Amino acid sequence: MADDGVLGLNPEFEAVLRECLDGLIGPEEPLQEDSDLAVFGIDSLTVVRLLVTIEEAFGVTIPDEIITFEIFSSPGALWNVVSGLLEVPDER
């Protein structure tokens, strides 16, 4: 079992999560796909920071209609949304 990062998730995504959760999660604190982000004290300001940082880092736009606290409940839930958007062709 790998213990160097979020299992099954993009390492860049883990880096973005850790950056946004700075001060809420220690550098050695393990993150798993099913980690409960609420345990780390995620609040509405952190959600906005995560949203903006993820959109910039991955070049995606998370549609307003799917933005709920549920997608920010765990790294796996959020990565499922982001990775799904990465697969959608750009409609610009």
Side-chain angles (χ1 to χ4, degrees):
M1 179 194 300
D3 61 353
D4 55 322
V6 179
L7 298 177
L9 300 182
N10 179 302
E12 184 180 358
F13 179 73
E14 178 181 4
V16 168
L17 275 178
R18 287 187 178 280
E19 175 187 331
C20 291
L21 296 174
D22 187 39
L24 299 176
I25 182 172
E28 302 302 318
E29 183 82 33
L31 280 174
Q32 304 296 323
E33 284 186 58
D34 61 351
S35 293
D36 181 358
L37 293 179
V39 169
F40 301 116
I42 191 170
D43 59 15
S44 59
L45 292 177
T46 307
V47 166
V48 170
R49 184 175 178 200
L50 269 169
L51 180 64
V52 170
T53 305
I54 287 169
E55 288 183 338
E56 289 175 356
F58 292 94
V60 297
T61 300
I62 300 175
D64 291 344
E65 60 270 11
I66 65 169
I67 297 174
T68 64
F69 275 105
E70 288 177 359
I71 69 168
F72 295 94
S73 64
S74 71
L78 188 51
W79 178 244
N80 285 339
V81 170
V82 173
S83 63
L85 291 170
L86 289 172
E87 295 171 5
V88 175
D90 193 1
E91 296 180 6
R92 291 183 209 173

